[in-house]
Amino acid sequence: MTREDITRGLFELQDNDYRTFHARLMPEIDPERIIGVRTPQLRAFAKQVIKDSCAEEFLQELPHYYYEENNLHGALLNLRYKKESELEDFLKELERFLPYVDNWATCDMLSPKLFKKNLPLVYERVKHWLNSEHTYTIRFGIVTLLGYYLEDAFESGMLKLVCGVKSEEYYVRMAVAWYFSMALVKQYEETIPYFEQPVLETWTHNKAIQKAIESRRIDEGTKAYLRSLKI
Protein backbone atom coordinates (compact mmCIF):
# COMPACT_ATOMS: atom_id res chain seq x y z
CA MET A 1 0.00 0.00 0.00
CA THR A 2 1.28 3.48 -0.89
CA ARG A 3 0.32 6.86 0.53
CA GLU A 4 -1.82 7.44 -2.59
CA ASP A 5 -3.58 4.11 -1.97
CA ILE A 6 -4.90 5.47 1.32
CA THR A 7 -6.81 8.32 -0.32
CA ARG A 8 -7.87 6.02 -3.14
CA GLY A 9 -9.15 3.53 -0.59
CA LEU A 10 -11.24 6.22 1.09
CA PHE A 11 -12.83 7.10 -2.25
CA GLU A 12 -13.65 3.44 -2.81
CA LEU A 13 -15.75 3.65 0.36
CA GLN A 14 -17.57 6.78 -0.82
CA ASP A 15 -21.32 7.06 -0.24
CA ASN A 16 -22.57 10.10 -2.14
CA ASP A 17 -25.90 10.29 -0.31
CA TYR A 18 -24.07 10.28 3.00
CA ARG A 19 -21.64 12.87 1.65
CA THR A 20 -24.52 15.22 0.83
CA PHE A 21 -26.15 14.66 4.20
CA HIS A 22 -22.95 15.06 6.22
CA ALA A 23 -21.86 18.18 4.34
CA ARG A 24 -25.01 19.91 5.58
CA LEU A 25 -23.97 19.17 9.18
CA MET A 26 -20.58 20.85 8.67
CA PRO A 27 -21.20 24.14 6.84
CA GLU A 28 -17.74 25.35 7.85
CA ILE A 29 -16.10 22.68 5.64
CA ASP A 30 -15.85 23.05 1.85
CA PRO A 31 -17.98 20.18 0.44
CA GLU A 32 -15.16 19.45 -2.02
CA ARG A 33 -13.09 18.29 0.94
CA ILE A 34 -15.71 15.74 2.02
CA ILE A 35 -15.49 12.28 0.42
CA GLY A 36 -18.50 10.74 2.14
CA VAL A 37 -17.30 7.74 4.19
CA ARG A 38 -19.41 6.41 7.03
CA THR A 39 -17.64 6.09 10.37
CA PRO A 40 -17.85 2.25 10.72
CA GLN A 41 -16.29 1.82 7.27
CA LEU A 42 -13.60 4.38 8.03
CA ARG A 43 -12.66 2.65 11.28
CA ALA A 44 -12.51 -0.73 9.55
CA PHE A 45 -10.27 0.80 6.89
CA ALA A 46 -8.01 2.24 9.61
CA LYS A 47 -7.45 -1.30 10.95
CA GLN A 48 -6.14 -2.27 7.51
CA VAL A 49 -3.95 0.81 7.13
CA ILE A 50 -2.34 0.54 10.58
CA LYS A 51 -0.83 -2.82 9.58
CA ASP A 52 0.99 -1.26 6.62
CA SER A 53 4.24 0.72 6.69
CA CYS A 54 2.54 3.61 4.88
CA ALA A 55 0.60 4.40 8.06
CA GLU A 56 3.68 6.08 9.51
CA GLU A 57 4.13 8.23 6.41
CA PHE A 58 0.48 9.23 6.55
CA LEU A 59 0.67 10.19 10.23
CA GLN A 60 3.68 12.41 9.59
CA GLU A 61 1.83 14.23 6.80
CA LEU A 62 0.02 17.28 8.12
CA PRO A 63 -2.12 19.01 7.11
CA HIS A 64 -4.39 16.58 5.26
CA TYR A 65 -6.74 17.82 2.57
CA TYR A 66 -9.83 15.65 2.96
CA TYR A 67 -12.08 15.62 6.02
CA GLU A 68 -11.95 11.81 6.07
CA GLU A 69 -8.16 11.89 6.03
CA ASN A 70 -8.27 13.84 9.29
CA ASN A 71 -10.73 11.31 10.73
CA LEU A 72 -8.47 8.50 9.60
CA HIS A 73 -5.50 10.22 11.26
CA GLY A 74 -7.34 10.25 14.59
CA ALA A 75 -8.41 6.62 14.19
CA LEU A 76 -4.84 5.55 13.41
CA LEU A 77 -3.50 7.33 16.49
CA ASN A 78 -6.03 5.45 18.64
CA LEU A 79 -4.97 2.15 17.08
CA ARG A 80 -1.24 2.84 17.26
CA TYR A 81 -1.07 3.75 20.96
CA LYS A 82 -2.84 1.43 23.40
CA LYS A 83 -0.60 0.92 26.44
CA GLU A 84 -0.33 3.27 29.43
CA SER A 85 3.43 3.43 28.83
CA GLU A 86 2.65 4.92 25.40
CA LEU A 87 0.38 7.68 26.72
CA GLU A 88 3.02 10.41 26.69
CA ASP A 89 3.92 9.58 23.08
CA PHE A 90 0.26 9.54 22.17
CA LEU A 91 -0.32 12.95 23.75
CA LYS A 92 2.67 14.33 21.86
CA GLU A 93 1.24 13.12 18.54
CA LEU A 94 -2.26 14.24 19.49
CA GLU A 95 -1.08 17.78 20.24
CA ARG A 96 0.73 17.86 16.91
CA PHE A 97 -2.57 16.92 15.24
CA LEU A 98 -5.07 19.07 17.18
CA PRO A 99 -4.19 22.41 15.48
CA TYR A 100 -5.27 20.87 12.17
CA VAL A 101 -8.67 19.70 13.42
CA ASP A 102 -11.09 22.08 11.72
CA ASN A 103 -14.60 20.80 12.49
CA TRP A 104 -16.70 19.47 15.36
CA ALA A 105 -17.11 15.95 13.92
CA THR A 106 -13.39 15.16 13.69
CA CYS A 107 -12.91 16.68 17.15
CA ASP A 108 -15.63 14.60 18.79
CA MET A 109 -14.66 11.40 16.98
CA LEU A 110 -11.17 11.29 18.54
CA SER A 111 -12.33 9.98 21.97
CA PRO A 112 -9.10 8.12 22.91
CA LYS A 113 -9.71 5.07 25.11
CA LEU A 114 -6.09 5.34 26.21
CA PHE A 115 -7.06 8.34 28.37
CA LYS A 116 -8.65 5.94 30.87
CA LYS A 117 -5.18 4.56 31.67
CA ASN A 118 -4.07 7.75 33.44
CA LEU A 119 -6.87 10.26 33.99
CA PRO A 120 -4.86 12.54 36.34
CA LEU A 121 -2.17 13.05 33.69
CA VAL A 122 -4.74 13.70 30.97
CA TYR A 123 -6.57 16.17 33.22
CA GLU A 124 -3.44 18.31 33.39
CA ARG A 125 -3.41 18.39 29.57
CA VAL A 126 -7.11 19.27 29.52
CA LYS A 127 -6.37 22.43 31.53
CA HIS A 128 -3.80 23.34 28.88
CA TRP A 129 -6.22 22.67 26.01
CA LEU A 130 -8.92 24.86 27.55
CA ASN A 131 -6.51 27.79 27.41
CA SER A 132 -5.80 27.31 23.71
CA GLU A 133 -6.68 29.94 21.11
CA HIS A 134 -7.75 27.19 18.69
CA THR A 135 -11.50 26.50 18.62
CA TYR A 136 -11.37 22.74 18.29
CA THR A 137 -8.55 22.26 20.79
CA ILE A 138 -10.73 24.02 23.37
CA ARG A 139 -13.72 21.93 22.32
CA PHE A 140 -11.65 18.76 22.56
CA GLY A 141 -10.73 19.64 26.13
CA ILE A 142 -14.37 20.15 27.05
CA VAL A 143 -15.50 16.97 25.30
CA THR A 144 -12.75 15.04 27.10
CA LEU A 145 -14.05 16.28 30.46
CA LEU A 146 -17.55 15.31 29.39
CA GLY A 147 -16.55 11.84 28.28
CA TYR A 148 -14.17 10.80 31.06
CA TYR A 149 -14.64 13.05 34.10
CA LEU A 150 -18.34 13.20 34.95
CA GLU A 151 -18.50 10.02 36.99
CA ASP A 152 -15.86 8.48 39.28
CA ALA A 153 -13.15 10.95 38.22
CA PHE A 154 -15.39 14.00 38.71
CA GLU A 155 -14.16 16.94 40.78
CA SER A 156 -16.31 20.00 41.50
CA GLY A 157 -13.52 22.28 40.29
CA MET A 158 -14.04 20.94 36.78
CA LEU A 159 -17.36 22.77 36.60
CA LYS A 160 -15.62 26.03 37.44
CA LEU A 161 -12.96 25.26 34.85
CA VAL A 162 -15.48 24.82 32.03
CA CYS A 163 -17.54 27.78 33.25
CA GLY A 164 -14.40 29.88 32.85
CA VAL A 165 -14.08 29.11 29.14
CA LYS A 166 -14.88 32.34 27.28
CA SER A 167 -15.37 32.16 23.54
CA GLU A 168 -17.66 33.56 20.87
CA GLU A 169 -17.15 30.45 18.76
CA TYR A 170 -20.40 28.51 18.29
CA TYR A 171 -18.80 25.07 18.59
CA VAL A 172 -17.09 26.01 21.84
CA ARG A 173 -20.25 27.49 23.32
CA MET A 174 -22.21 24.42 22.27
CA ALA A 175 -19.61 22.17 23.90
CA VAL A 176 -19.91 24.13 27.17
CA ALA A 177 -23.70 23.78 27.04
CA TRP A 178 -23.41 20.07 26.27
CA TYR A 179 -20.99 19.59 29.17
CA PHE A 180 -23.24 21.36 31.67
CA SER A 181 -26.33 19.51 30.44
CA MET A 182 -24.60 16.18 31.12
CA ALA A 183 -23.28 17.51 34.44
CA LEU A 184 -26.90 18.18 35.41
CA VAL A 185 -27.68 14.57 34.56
CA LYS A 186 -24.69 12.97 36.30
CA GLN A 187 -23.66 15.45 39.02
CA TYR A 188 -26.87 17.33 39.71
CA GLU A 189 -26.24 18.54 43.28
CA GLU A 190 -22.85 19.99 42.37
CA THR A 191 -24.10 21.52 39.13
CA ILE A 192 -27.49 23.04 39.91
CA PRO A 193 -26.03 26.10 41.77
CA TYR A 194 -24.53 27.22 38.45
CA PHE A 195 -28.10 27.64 37.19
CA GLU A 196 -29.82 28.87 40.37
CA GLN A 197 -27.39 31.79 40.50
CA PRO A 198 -26.60 32.03 36.79
CA VAL A 199 -22.95 32.34 35.88
CA LEU A 200 -23.03 31.07 32.30
CA GLU A 201 -23.86 33.51 29.53
CA THR A 202 -27.57 33.46 28.64
CA TRP A 203 -27.46 31.40 25.44
CA THR A 204 -25.27 28.70 26.98
CA HIS A 205 -27.33 28.64 30.19
CA ASN A 206 -30.58 28.09 28.30
CA LYS A 207 -29.10 25.61 25.82
CA ALA A 208 -27.70 23.49 28.67
CA ILE A 209 -31.12 23.39 30.33
CA GLN A 210 -32.78 22.53 27.03
CA LYS A 211 -30.42 19.61 26.44
CA ALA A 212 -30.69 18.38 30.04
CA ILE A 213 -34.48 18.35 29.81
CA GLU A 214 -34.20 16.08 26.77
CA SER A 215 -32.54 13.39 28.92
CA ARG A 216 -34.62 10.45 30.10
CA ARG A 217 -32.41 10.23 33.18
CA ILE A 218 -33.94 13.38 34.70
CA ASP A 219 -37.37 13.03 36.33
CA GLU A 220 -40.32 15.22 35.39
CA GLY A 221 -40.25 17.21 38.61
CA THR A 222 -36.62 18.15 38.10
CA LYS A 223 -37.31 19.01 34.47
CA ALA A 224 -40.07 21.40 35.57
CA TYR A 225 -37.68 23.06 38.01
CA LEU A 226 -35.01 23.41 35.33
CA ARG A 227 -37.53 25.04 32.99
CA SER A 228 -38.24 27.61 35.70
CA LEU A 229 -34.54 28.52 35.72
CA LYS A 230 -34.41 29.57 32.09
CA ILE A 231 -33.41 33.16 31.58
Side-chain angles (χ1 to χ4, degrees), residues 54 72 97 113 149:
C54 70
L72 181 63
F97 176 52
K113 294 180 180 179
Y149 297 88

Side-chain angles (χ1 to χ4, degrees), residues 32-85:
E32 292 300 315
R33 293 180 50 225
I34 301 173
I35 298 172
V37 181
R38 294 178 182 271
T39 299
Q41 282 71 39
L42 185 138
R43 286 180 170 152
F45 183 58
K47 291 178 181 179
Q48 298 176 33
V49 174
I50 197 65
K51 298 175 184 178
D52 198 283
S53 59
C54 70
E56 183 62 29
E57 179 185 352
F58 180 81
L59 286 171
Q60 292 305 311
E61 177 194 296
L62 286 171
H64 300 298
Y65 178 73
Y66 290 106
Y67 158 72
E68 283 84 359
E69 289 179 325
N70 276 333
N71 289 353
L72 181 63
H73 192 116
L76 290 173
L77 288 179
N78 284 338
L79 289 170
R80 182 181 179 186
Y81 300 98
K82 293 185 176 181
K83 300 176 182 178
E84 182 177 354
S85 61

Side-chain angles (χ1 to χ4, degrees), residues 123-137:
Y123 182 45
E124 292 307 309
R125 296 299 180 98
V126 167
K127 295 175 186 177
H128 170 70
W129 296 332
L130 294 184
N131 285 316
S132 173
E133 295 182 356
H134 178 241
T135 297
Y136 296 103
T137 299

Side-chain angles (χ1 to χ4, degrees), residues 49-213:
V49 174
I50 197 65
K51 298 175 184 178
D52 198 283
S53 59
C54 70
E56 183 62 29
E57 179 185 352
F58 180 81
L59 286 171
Q60 292 305 311
E61 177 194 296
L62 286 171
H64 300 298
Y65 178 73
Y66 290 106
Y67 158 72
E68 283 84 359
E69 289 179 325
N70 276 333
N71 289 353
L72 181 63
H73 192 116
L76 290 173
L77 288 179
N78 284 338
L79 289 170
R80 182 181 179 186
Y81 300 98
K82 293 185 176 181
K83 300 176 182 178
E84 182 177 354
S85 61
E86 299 173 324
L87 181 56
E88 288 280 10
D89 289 335
F90 173 79
L91 287 167
K92 180 180 178 180
E93 286 301 306
L94 177 65
E95 293 193 346
R96 192 173 72 87
F97 176 52
L98 282 175
Y100 298 100
V101 174
D102 58 1
N103 65 88
W104 66 267
T106 300
C107 175
D108 297 0
M109 183 179 167
L110 285 170
S111 189
K113 294 180 180 179
L114 185 57
F115 282 0
K116 295 179 182 179
K117 302 285 187 180
N118 193 332
L119 290 173
L121 172 62
V122 174
Y123 182 45
E124 292 307 309
R125 296 299 180 98
V126 167
K127 295 175 186 177
H128 170 70
W129 296 332
L130 294 184
N131 285 316
S132 173
E133 295 182 356
H134 178 241
T135 297
Y136 296 103
T137 299
I138 300 171
R139 181 180 171 98
F140 181 70
I142 298 169
V143 172
T144 298
L145 286 175
L146 190 159
Y148 297 96
Y149 297 88
L150 275 179
E151 296 187 11
D152 292 344
F154 174 76
E155 298 175 12
S156 59
M158 295 171 179
L159 294 166
K160 185 176 181 179
L161 197 63
V162 178
C163 183
V165 172
K166 305 300 179 186
S167 175
E168 295 300 317
E169 294 287 344
Y170 173 80
Y171 290 105
V172 172
R173 295 167 70 204
M174 182 58 81
V176 173
W178 183 19
Y179 173 83
F180 270 94
S181 72
M182 292 307 300
L184 283 168
V185 172
K186 295 184 176 183
Q187 300 290 344
Y188 182 82
E189 294 301 327
E190 295 276 5
T191 308
I192 194 62
Y194 284 78
F195 294 87
E196 293 173 327
Q197 297 181 344
V199 289
L200 297 169
E201 55 93 15
T202 301
W203 184 91
T204 307
H205 174 103
N206 290 335
K207 180 62 70 173
I209 290 175
Q210 174 194 325
K211 292 180 73 65
I213 288 171

Side-chain angles (χ1 to χ4, degrees), residues 207-218 223:
K207 180 62 70 173
I209 290 175
Q210 174 194 325
K211 292 180 73 65
I213 288 171
E214 293 170 358
S215 173
R216 295 180 180 179
R217 295 174 60 181
I218 292 183
K223 288 181 179 182

